[in-house]
Every structure is written in C-alpha cells, then in structure tokens.
Amino acid sequence: MMGMKSDIRLIDDNGLRIDGRLPNQLRPIKMEVGVVKRADGSAYIEWGGNKIIAAVYGPREAYPKHVQESDRAIVRARYNMAAFSVDERKRPGPDRRSVELSKVISEALTSAIFVEKFPRTAIDVYIEVLQADAGTRVAGITVASLALADAGIPMRDLIVGCAAGKVDDVVVLDLNKEEDNFGQADVPMAILPRTGEIALLQMDGDLTYDELTNAMEMAMDAAKKIYNMEIETLKAKYGGDVNEQ
Ligand code: ADP
C-alpha cells in the first residue's frame, strides 16, 4: 500500500535510508533448503524482517480430475500470511490480496518450470509468511524457487524475486515496511537471471519512464546477487552439480 501521508523522512541528509542502507542496497538475506521433512522439497528465507517458508508437493496426479491439463503440469502456489505475521493480527484465511498473490506467483513459477514434462499433474507450492515486512511476494517467489529445486523439479532457471521503487523522490532497491507505507512507488519483479527474462512485473504508485527503467535495472543487478546466494545454498546441500538440470 503506497502513498500514506506522513512527515517521516525516508532519506536523510547523507542520502541514507531509515535502516541505514544506500539506495541500491539489499536488506540482509539468509536461505536454507530442506526444512520440511514430509514435503518433496522445501526452503526457508529470512529477508530483512521477512520470514517465509515454502514447501513443494509433486508433480503428482492432479485432483480434481477436471483441473488436469493433458499436455502439462499445473502449478498451484498458495500464498498465506500467518495470523501473527503482522503488527495487528491478520484475519486467517484467504483474502483478496492473498488470492491475487497466489495467482501471480503461480504464473511466475510456471514460466520457469518445464511443465510440459509432467502432463496431468499438479505441482503444489505452499508459501507461508511467518513474519512480514514488505516484499513478501518477491521473497516468496525466491524461496519457492529454492523449494522447487530441492524437490528436483526441472526448471529453465532458478527464479529470483526482487523489488525496487521510489521514496522521497529517490529510486531505491528492496523497500522495507516504512518505505512501502510512506513511499511513492513499489515495483516487484521476478527474473530468470540467466536469460534476463521477466516472469513478474507489477507497479504500485507512480514513476516516470526513466525512474522505472532505473528501478528495473537496480532490481536486475540485485537479482544476480540473490541468484548466486540461491546457487550457494543448493550447493551446500547437494554439492557442485546444481546448475546442470
Ligand atoms: P508485499 O509483501 O509483496 O510487498 P504488499 O505491498 O501488498 O505486498 O504488502 C506490503 C506489506 O504490508 C506486507 O509485506 C506486510 O508487511 C504488510 N501487510 C500486507 N497485508 C497486511 C495485512 N492484512 N495486515 C497487516 N499488514 C499487512
């Protein structure tokens, strides 16, 4: 939610943000794979104040049968925020926002997975937000991509989510909660870094064409760093051959 009015200064006289970051600096990120024993694949991410777990089941025969596609797998991501994940208790269960996020995340993941290899099946991806601090959809896509890799599901590339936007008239990378609330624009993206392909692009707020280009370039650069973290995280569990699917 952009554009709440306030007197808060989001960029100080030294050009630093309220959490001390430079405009093009990411929040700290930590990742882990293989955290849910019963899932076919799983992963956990801490990204700034976000804590998100992803669990993947499948590919398995899709039920109910009428949802099956005869030539490909369907990818069903379910984005859910825990009741305790935000300041005020979030009402449990799907709301308009989580239905939208589930849809856009499903589409982004579908574009990376070789779905045509698994006709009539479903790949279920559960994304549980335990703690939210803005940027959960892009962090959710990133952790889901790790869980899919952990499940051994063949993909054209790992996906990386990353957002950029504008606060106090400055284009910045990876907005935190205050910046998201009181800033001017937020542009969440999902990227396949090897090809530079964009799997998700949304925009909340207003940017000029040049600002949008700048924000997208910032997110693209950061995506390469996050991609390397994903590779390292998978290598730590699987050894050197994670890139050869
Ligand atoms: P994203 O998390 O992808 O940035 P939004 O821009 O919709 O998605 O949300 C920004 C942030 O606002 C969330 O990460 C979360 O911290 C907070 N938020 C979202 N929905 C709620 C809610 N129902 N109650 C309280 N805070 C929320």
Side-chain angles (χ1 to χ4, degrees):
M1 174 80 71
M2 282 285 120
M4 282 166 66
K5 288 256 180 295
S6 93
D7 296 330
I8 291 189
R9 283 191 64 193
L10 296 170
I11 306 276
D12 72 13
D13 291 335
N14 300 317
L16 297 178
R17 299 156 70 178
I18 41 178
D19 55 11
R21 279 184 294 156
L22 293 164
N24 65 351
Q25 202 176 345
L26 285 166
R27 291 175 285 180
I29 299 177
K30 278 198 314 203
M31 311 167 171
E32 197 182 331
V33 282
V35 294
V36 178
K37 205 169 135 198
R38 283 191 183 77
D40 294 317
S42 61
Y44 173 68
I45 196 164
E46 290 184 6
W47 180 326
N50 295 310
K51 295 185 179 183
I52 308 176
I53 203 160
V56 168
Y57 295 82
R60 56 189 178 182
E61 194 175 351
Y63 285 106
K65 268 206 147 92
H66 69 84
V67 302
Q68 291 183 355
E69 295 287 346
S70 58
D71 56 350
R72 64 178 185 91
I74 55 166
V75 179
R76 298 186 290 209
R78 197 200 65 164
Y79 169 101
N80 183 53
M81 276 170 96
F84 53 80
S85 65
V86 289
D87 284 346
E88 307 227 338
R89 177 178 178 277
K90 188 207 164 277
R91 220 170 127 238
D95 51 17
R96 238 187 64 148
R97 176 175 172 276
S98 60
V99 170
E100 178 211 323
L101 294 203
S102 297
K103 179 171 188 291
V104 297
I105 293 170
S106 297
E107 286 167 6
L109 298 177
T110 302
S111 68
I113 297 171
F114 285 114
V115 285
E116 62 281 2
K117 287 192 195 236
F118 307 102
R120 302 190 185 285
T121 68
I123 298 168
D124 289 300
V125 184
Y126 296 92
I127 297 169
E128 296 289 328
V129 179
L130 308 178
Q131 190 173 292
D133 192 44
T136 58
R137 84 192 62 195
V138 291
I141 288 170
T142 307
V143 70
S145 168
L146 278 175
L148 287 164
D150 187 44
I153 292 173
M155 290 181 278
R156 293 191 291 124
D157 198 359
L158 291 165
I159 310 194
V160 179
C162 190
K166 182 165 109 168
V167 303
D168 284 4
D169 294 326
V170 179
V171 174
V172 297
L173 183 69
D174 185 24
L175 280 66
N176 67 24
K177 186 75 177 83
E178 288 77 17
E179 293 173 328
D180 183 274
N181 282 352
F182 303 115
Q184 295 152 297
D186 185 24
V187 182
M189 291 176 69
I191 295 155
L192 306 181
R194 215 183 293 169
T195 57
E197 220 172 307
I198 293 171
L200 172 115
L201 176 64
Q202 296 183 290
M203 180 157 109
D204 189 6
D206 286 315
L207 290 175
T208 65
Y209 181 81
D210 285 347
E211 286 167 343
L212 177 62
T213 309
N214 191 352
M216 287 175 68
E217 275 169 9
M218 246 187 209
M220 285 276 190
D221 281 348
K224 289 179 193 134
K225 289 186 199 148
I226 301 165
Y227 183 68
N228 288 332
M229 289 183 221
E230 290 188 332
I231 302 274
E232 290 308 316
T233 303
L234 289 165
K235 272 189 186 162
K237 183 171 177 195
Y238 291 105
D241 59 351
V242 293
N243 228 342
E244 274 127 48
Q245 270 186 351

